[in-house]
Amino acid sequence: MAGADPGELAAGERQPGAERRRSLLQRLPYGLRRRCRRYNCKQFASPQECLAAPEFLDHIRKVMLVIDAAVSHLEDLPCLEEYLCNLGKKHQAVGVKVESFSTVGESLLYMLEKCLGAAFSPDAREAWIKLYSAVVKAMQRGWEVLPEGD
């Protein structure tokens, strides 16, 4: 490929990001792979197509920002209450079901286990479950709050 534009790939060559997504997808449990075919009320032809979609990748980044905020405020999670409640309202407004948060939680735990290996002890798993549950409970309160004017 000498002399070729570095942004171009030879026929059949895969981009590193595509290869990572394929590897990730192959490691996901079947149920998560199946659910990955549908995101944001859009049906994808394959889980690979979903994992490559810019809007899905952007959502993953946003989820991780929320997780990062929760970890950063571990000693004072109540300070995130209003933010998370409003985030829950936004999710409800676009038709997200509360049950879908369990898929995100399963995915988070799965990737932590795969990335951390033996360092992901039962105690660490329990701590992550408690943290994620606190985030989800705060977001669920967004479903419970009546819209303004009601």
Side-chain angles (χ1 to χ4, degrees), residues 20-91:
R20 278 193 303 269
R21 284 190 296 275
R22 179 188 319 298
S23 175
L24 166 67
L25 181 64
Q26 289 170 346
R27 291 184 288 169
L28 286 175
Y30 174 75
L32 294 179
R33 273 185 289 178
R34 189 172 44 79
R35 283 178 264 189
C36 186
R37 288 182 64 132
R38 186 166 179 78
Y39 167 73
N40 205 19
C41 301
K42 180 178 178 183
Q43 184 71 37
F44 290 94
S46 69
Q48 292 89 341
E49 181 186 348
C50 180
L51 286 171
E55 65 268 22
F56 184 73
L57 295 173
D58 186 51
H59 186 258
I60 291 170
R61 283 191 264 311
K62 290 176 182 176
V63 168
M64 293 314 297
L65 287 172
V66 171
I67 298 299
D68 181 60
V71 170
S72 297
H73 294 87
L74 200 53
E75 299 296 322
D76 189 22
L77 280 177
C79 77
L80 296 176
E81 181 72 25
E82 183 178 352
Y83 166 72
L84 293 171
C85 184
N86 287 330
L87 190 57
K89 284 184 208 176
K90 288 179 184 179
H91 279 73

Side-chain angles (χ1 to χ4, degrees), residues 1 4-10 13:
M1 227 170 113
D5 177 0
E8 291 181 15
L9 296 173
E13 227 179 313

Side-chain angles (χ1 to χ4, degrees), residues 111-129:
M111 291 314 300
L112 285 166
E113 181 181 355
K114 291 298 173 190
C115 292
L116 298 175
F120 193 58
S121 67
D123 287 343
R125 180 181 179 80
E126 187 60 33
W128 277 102
I129 290 171

